[in-house]
Amino acid sequence: MKEKTKFNRRDFINTGLRIGIGAGLGLIGVGLSTRSVNGKTTWQIDPAKCIQCGKCTTECVLQTSAVKCVHVTDMCGYCDLCSGYLKQGSKELNTAAENRLCPTNAIVRTFVEEPYFEYKIVEELCIACGKCVKNCGAFGNGSLQLQIQQQLCLNCNQCSIARNCPSQAITRVDTDSPYSLKGFKDLKIGG
Amino acid sequence: MKHKIKYFFLILVLSVSTFDIIAQRFPAPEFEGDYKIPQTQISKVQPVFFEYLDIAVFLATLSVITWVIIKKRSRKAVFWISVFSLLYFGFYRNGCICPVGSLQNVSMALFHPEYTIPVTAIIFFIAPLGFTLFFGRTFCAGVCPLGAIQDIIALRPVSLKPWIRYVFGLIPFIYLGLAVLYAATGTDFIICRYDPFVEFFRHSGSSLIFGIGGILLVTGIFVARPYCRFFCPYGVLLNLVSRVSRRHLSIANGKCVNCRLCESACPFDAIDKPTGLESKKDNRGLVKKMMIYGLITPVLILVTGWSVSRFHGELAHVNFKVRLAEEMMTIDKNINNATLPDEIKAFQSSGSVVENLYREAASIVYRFYVGSWILGGFIGLVFGLTLARLTIFRYRDEYLTNKGNCYSCVRCVPYCPIK
Ligand code: SF4
Ligand code: SF4
Ligand code: SF4
Ligand code: SF4
Ligand code: SF4
């Protein structure tokens, strides 16, 4: 008989605790869900803050970084002497390999008409070193910008580049506007 | 060399000014031919639909495994569900976001109103705790990908001495406290940073973590579920919640005949043996001991709280802003700008006021001061309660699963002759 009452008392305490914990969990859930408008957030670089330090190449958890150079074509001057394509100080207008800035040759140049050239980034080759971005920003129009390509990004709970970015340029942004490019008129989201 | 430095500085200054104005140095070309400026190409985001699919799969797996454990009591089914979880939540979804990590999102959200927490994180955090509240740690049994990878390789488990289990069992509490402190101060998600298995799921990552993961997996062959038992911070919450669970898996469903067949069936030493009748009488000294521990616990809380708060500066040093502020204070104003670290260059070029940075850093350090007192106090409380718990005597006349430590893996059930 004595055993039984004891058992009941413990049962009673357990039920009480259970209700308490359950209520606590419910409160947290309801409280937080009012603050979570979307399904998720995504990581993105603010090009206005980024200083092209080169960490994007090495700090991403992926073997080849999810960060890529994006060419905002609307801003491009189609320059013959492209500061993002050619090394500064290459005296002659010579596009020989040693004069090109990109370490992986990810920028393809095609002649359009005198004196304009079109530049394209081959995404598979780009390693997000930011060299072209830096030079284009310094001497050109700033049409080359580093962005996290959302198709490649694993959307880590904590982006490991963001943790080490010296300019703290990487933040969580709303998934509805997952890119922070500057100066574009026309954007094609696809593939 | 001098030239190079100057050149860098020039780039720096210029690049700042460029982004501030976003004016075009070179006007957009006017093409005579029929060339059209191509659109800027960027890639799609994975549709939010997949997030909800993940939530649905997660809740379904959790429900199925709970049913299998409580009603079917089938080890085989649990095993196959854990294989599924390992493949889906581990290798397919790259083990991210997981409930273990989600506790950081929740802590961060509770202290940072501006942080919009993903729905997935809320549900991944709450659902396993909710299930555990009623049915025990069914989530650990085979939904958690971290648990699953370890459970599957626990091939030659050895039994550990109780003192080892108690001492190392304190680590998860400390880890939990640190993780909450860093998330609540918006500093870092250390559980994600040191997640030992996520690198396997992604097939890439830092070699240090790969190494730790490898060591844990090899250890895991002999010491079953080493991460779960001696590191997992979320496991602490599940453990505590599970103790008051309503319908926890039991070995003999209350019909234990003390045949001792299940005695060493559990790879995690989570089966409590019957206490025997003698120990039932020998109960008086224990009450006294318990009272002593009840008295020293507050003292412990103060001592550990104070000790940990001594290190709040070191703890805060992980925070980016605190580090930056310290660097800013110590830089030589006359030093050549080009040789400064990147973060200082970036800060200087951002045009922010340094006093604001100092103020912000000071408030973060203060939060760390308060936080480290709480963390220390929490550790002291855990120490005290662990000591006290060792003295609590609870009479048992049958073999029972330890509701806190049992992962509901159902390994012990087949050993029991009572069906
Ligand atoms: S780590 Fe930050 S500053 Fe460096 S390149 Fe990436 S976004 Fe830019
Ligand atoms: S220079 Fe660097 S950032 Fe630019 S395209 Fe080449 S690899 Fe990418
Ligand atoms: S979130 Fe992860 S995958 Fe995406 S850029 Fe950051 S580290 Fe790379
Ligand atoms: S103890 Fe932690 S890692 Fe292990 S199964 Fe449970 S939640 Fe997962
Ligand atoms: S179900 Fe049985 S074997 Fe599995 S952890 Fe629990 S007590 Fe141990």
Side-chain angles (χ1 to χ4, degrees), chain B residues 245-289:
Chain B
S245 59
R246 198 176 145 79
R247 299 192 52 188
H248 194 285
L249 171 81
S250 79
I251 307 174
N253 264 339
K255 290 178 229 140
C256 180
V257 289
N258 282 325
C259 68
R260 304 180 58 186
L261 285 173
C262 67
E263 197 172 83
S264 51
C266 181
F268 318 108
D269 305 303
I271 296 179
D272 288 336
K273 299 184 176 74
T275 47
L277 285 175
E278 307 98 80
S279 22
K280 195 181 183 185
K281 291 178 204 130
D282 181 28
N283 210 348
R284 232 169 272 145
L286 293 174
V287 176
K288 211 172 176 187
K289 257 194 209 156

Side-chain angles (χ1 to χ4, degrees), chain B residues 172-322:
Chain B
F173 287 91
I174 300 171
Y175 196 3
L176 172 70
L178 279 172
V180 171
L181 177 65
Y182 279 126
T185 52
T187 299
D188 198 359
F189 280 11
I190 55 169
I191 301 175
C192 297
R193 187 175 196 164
Y194 299 111
D195 185 331
F197 303 120
V198 78
E199 323 283 87
F200 290 106
F201 298 148
R202 286 184 193 134
H203 310 293
S204 80
S206 88
S207 43
L208 170 76
I209 309 290
F210 253 123
I212 296 176
I215 292 171
L216 275 178
L217 282 186
V218 174
T219 317
I221 299 175
F222 308 102
V223 180
R225 288 194 187 229
Y227 182 80
C228 294
R229 285 203 280 172
F230 306 124
F231 297 103
C232 180
Y234 190 58
V236 169
L237 303 179
L238 293 171
N239 180 316
L240 297 178
V241 168
S242 179
R243 289 178 198 195
V244 296
S245 59
R246 198 176 145 79
R247 299 192 52 188
H248 194 285
L249 171 81
S250 79
I251 307 174
N253 264 339
K255 290 178 229 140
C256 180
V257 289
N258 282 325
C259 68
R260 304 180 58 186
L261 285 173
C262 67
E263 197 172 83
S264 51
C266 181
F268 318 108
D269 305 303
I271 296 179
D272 288 336
K273 299 184 176 74
T275 47
L277 285 175
E278 307 98 80
S279 22
K280 195 181 183 185
K281 291 178 204 130
D282 181 28
N283 210 348
R284 232 169 272 145
L286 293 174
V287 176
K288 211 172 176 187
K289 257 194 209 156
M290 227 180 103
M291 275 169 66
I292 296 171
Y293 287 129
L295 284 176
I296 63 167
T297 302
V299 181
L300 258 179
I301 291 175
L302 282 178
V303 170
T304 47
W306 181 81
S307 323
V308 175
S309 74
R310 293 299 91 193
F311 293 101
H312 75 275
E314 280 75 7
L315 290 169
H317 203 74
V318 176
N319 188 287
F320 180 84
K321 285 205 174 115
V322 174

Side-chain angles (χ1 to χ4, degrees), chain B residues 259-419:
Chain B
C259 68
R260 304 180 58 186
L261 285 173
C262 67
E263 197 172 83
S264 51
C266 181
F268 318 108
D269 305 303
I271 296 179
D272 288 336
K273 299 184 176 74
T275 47
L277 285 175
E278 307 98 80
S279 22
K280 195 181 183 185
K281 291 178 204 130
D282 181 28
N283 210 348
R284 232 169 272 145
L286 293 174
V287 176
K288 211 172 176 187
K289 257 194 209 156
M290 227 180 103
M291 275 169 66
I292 296 171
Y293 287 129
L295 284 176
I296 63 167
T297 302
V299 181
L300 258 179
I301 291 175
L302 282 178
V303 170
T304 47
W306 181 81
S307 323
V308 175
S309 74
R310 293 299 91 193
F311 293 101
H312 75 275
E314 280 75 7
L315 290 169
H317 203 74
V318 176
N319 188 287
F320 180 84
K321 285 205 174 115
V322 174
R323 237 174 23 229
L324 181 63
E326 273 172 28
E327 279 176 24
M328 291 294 291
M329 278 181 206
T330 51
I331 52 163
D332 187 351
K333 293 272 149 39
N334 306 315
I335 208 167
N336 195 321
N337 280 294
T339 55
L340 289 173
D342 280 340
E343 55 273 19
I344 294 189
K345 282 194 231 166
F347 180 77
Q348 289 174 339
S349 63
S350 70
S352 318
V353 187
V354 77
E355 277 70 33
N356 288 348
L357 172 72
Y358 290 163
R359 210 169 305 131
E360 225 176 308
S363 91
I364 294 172
V365 171
Y366 178 71
R367 261 183 269 157
F368 266 95
Y369 177 68
V370 177
S372 58
W373 260 106
I374 298 173
L375 170 65
F378 170 70
I379 293 173
L381 178 71
V382 172
F383 283 1
L385 289 184
T386 307
L387 284 175
R389 200 183 64 190
L390 292 178
T391 61
I392 293 181
F393 176 78
R394 207 173 258 174
Y395 174 72
R396 274 187 307 271
D397 56 3
E398 57 176 333
Y399 284 85
L400 288 172
T401 52
N402 180 306
K403 280 167 107 183
N405 294 331
C406 168
Y407 298 112
S408 297
C409 73
V410 204
R411 278 192 182 86
C412 50
V413 172
Y415 287 85
C416 185
I418 294 158
K419 293 291 170 234

Side-chain angles (χ1 to χ4, degrees), chain A residues 42-43 56 59-62 64-67 148-150 152-162 170, chain B residues 202:
Chain A
T42 29
W43 294 97
C56 273
E59 299 296 324
C60 180
V61 296
L62 294 169
T64 22
S65 179
V67 178
I148 295 175
Q149 282 290 6
Q150 302 297 354
L152 303 171
C153 176
L154 299 176
N155 200 14
C156 309
N157 201 18
Q158 166 72 48
C159 172
S160 79
I161 315 176
I170 304 183
Chain B
R202 286 184 193 134

Side-chain angles (χ1 to χ4, degrees), chain A residues 10 14 17-18 21-22 25 28-29 32-33 35-36 38-42 47 51 53 61-63 70-79 88 112-113 116 118 134 137-141 149-151 154 156-158 163 165-168 172 175 178-179 181-182 186-191, chain B residues 7 11 14 18-19 22 24-27 29-33 35 37-46 48 51-52 94 96-97 101 105-106 108-110 112-113 115-120 122 126 129-130 133 188-189 192-193 202-205 241 243-246 320 342-343 346 394:
Chain A
R10 201 197 292 169
N14 276 2
L17 282 173
R18 198 157 50 234
I21 296 171
L25 284 177
I28 292 179
L32 292 187
S33 57
R35 233 193 282 151
S36 151
N38 210 323
K40 59 173 178 178
T41 53
T42 29
I51 59 160
C53 69
V61 296
L62 294 169
Q63 227 82 64
V70 173
H71 191 189
V72 180
T73 44
D74 299 315
M75 284 179 87
C76 185
Y78 285 78
C79 327
Q88 276 302 301
V112 183
E113 61 180 53
Y116 300 128
E118 183 198 80
K134 193 164 202 151
F139 307 111
N141 281 355
Q149 282 290 6
Q150 302 297 354
Q151 193 93 21
L154 299 176
C156 309
N157 201 18
Q158 166 72 48
R163 177 189 292 143
C165 170
S167 61
Q168 297 286 289
R172 298 174 173 92
T175 303
Y179 289 90
L181 292 161
K182 298 271 181 278
D186 210 1
L187 208 57
K188 187 174 179 238
I189 304 188
Chain B
Y7 174 68
I11 294 181
L14 282 173
T18 326
F19 282 130
I22 312 206
Q24 264 163 279
R25 278 206 192 88
F26 305 102
E30 281 156 32
F31 297 108
E32 274 156 27
Y35 176 82
I37 295 181
Q39 288 171 309
T40 302
Q41 289 269 352
I42 46 178
S43 63
K44 272 202 295 278
V45 195
Q46 203 192 35
V48 175
E51 293 289 301
Y52 293 113
N94 299 311
C96 191
I97 178 180
N105 302 64
V106 170
M108 175 134 158
L110 290 177
H112 294 259
Y115 169 60
T116 42
I117 178 172
V119 174
T120 334
I122 302 176
I126 289 186
L129 286 169
L133 195 54
D188 198 359
F189 280 11
C192 297
R193 187 175 196 164
R202 286 184 193 134
H203 310 293
S204 80
V241 168
R243 289 178 198 195
V244 296
S245 59
R246 198 176 145 79
F320 180 84
D342 280 340
E343 55 273 19
R394 207 173 258 174

